[in-house]
Amino acid sequence: SVAGVFAEFDTSLAALDRSTAKIWLVAQALRDPGNLGTMLRTGDAVGAGGLILLDDCADPFSVEAVRASMGAVFTQAIARATWDEFLPWLRGGAKEHGGQLVAASLRDAVPYRGAPYVSPCFVMVGNESQGLPEDYERACDLRVTMPMKGRADSLNAAVAAAVLGYEVLARLEG
């Protein structure tokens, strides 16, 4: 068997440099470590700077999350914060140091295709069963919706992050 020992990651918001990437992923109260690992893997694929975990999320360093990340746990910055810490951090400082907060939503949302994404773009998805709290959605700069042609009313959180991540990538690099 193989074992590895790594220095503990700095998971503070202060450790993030938002100027290093055009896209960041944000997960609010995600409970499934597989979803967190998949979001890390997606972040790596779209060139995101990292994953910000808001409120009470599963452990991104658990065996399940690390396995699902397929190594992206080592390529993506990871930060943990409460909503009350995250929003002032995102909005603080000079305008060029801020970021656009985008939520997958059904409330006053525009189609995700061709929406006016701006760098750095923070793509936020909510809890697997409850979605995002209404006040979190209201604080967003942009709310986008994806068409649901079948009977399901929503996508898996990690899948929604992937769909939005690739659309943001296409808009910001196209």
Side-chain angles (χ1 to χ4, degrees), residues 6-64:
F6 299 91
E8 193 166 315
F9 291 84
D10 182 350
T11 59
S12 68
L13 287 173
L16 297 184
D17 179 357
R18 69 186 91 196
S19 70
T20 60
K22 295 177 180 180
I23 303 169
W24 294 81
L25 299 182
V26 182
Q28 189 270 330
L30 250 61
R31 301 306 309 145
D32 182 346
N35 278 339
L36 286 186
T38 300
M39 284 186 70
L40 287 166
R41 188 175 178 184
T42 296
D44 182 75
V46 301
L51 176 62
I52 299 169
L53 306 175
L54 297 181
D55 304 331
D56 186 25
C57 283
D59 180 3
F61 305 111
S62 69
V63 171
E64 299 91 344

Side-chain angles (χ1 to χ4, degrees), residues 5-136:
V5 178
F6 299 91
E8 193 166 315
F9 291 84
D10 182 350
T11 59
S12 68
L13 287 173
L16 297 184
D17 179 357
R18 69 186 91 196
S19 70
T20 60
K22 295 177 180 180
I23 303 169
W24 294 81
L25 299 182
V26 182
Q28 189 270 330
L30 250 61
R31 301 306 309 145
D32 182 346
N35 278 339
L36 286 186
T38 300
M39 284 186 70
L40 287 166
R41 188 175 178 184
T42 296
D44 182 75
V46 301
L51 176 62
I52 299 169
L53 306 175
L54 297 181
D55 304 331
D56 186 25
C57 283
D59 180 3
F61 305 111
S62 69
V63 171
E64 299 91 344
V66 170
R67 185 180 305 124
S69 82
M70 296 296 287
V73 70
F74 300 110
T75 67
Q76 293 286 287
I78 299 171
R80 297 186 209 227
T82 64
W83 175 250
D84 291 336
E85 294 164 340
F86 172 71
L87 202 57
W89 173 85
L90 183 70
R91 303 295 185 214
K95 189 168 178 67
E96 66 269 14
H97 296 301
Q100 181 190 46
L101 186 56
V102 177
S105 174
L106 296 174
R107 294 183 182 102
D108 301 317
V110 300
Y112 82 104
R113 283 274 167 106
Y117 302 108
V118 177
S119 175
C121 183
F122 291 78
V123 175
M124 182 167 64
V125 296
N127 173 272
E128 292 93 345
S129 59
Q130 275 122 27
L132 289 165
E134 189 173 348
D135 55 325
Y136 289 33

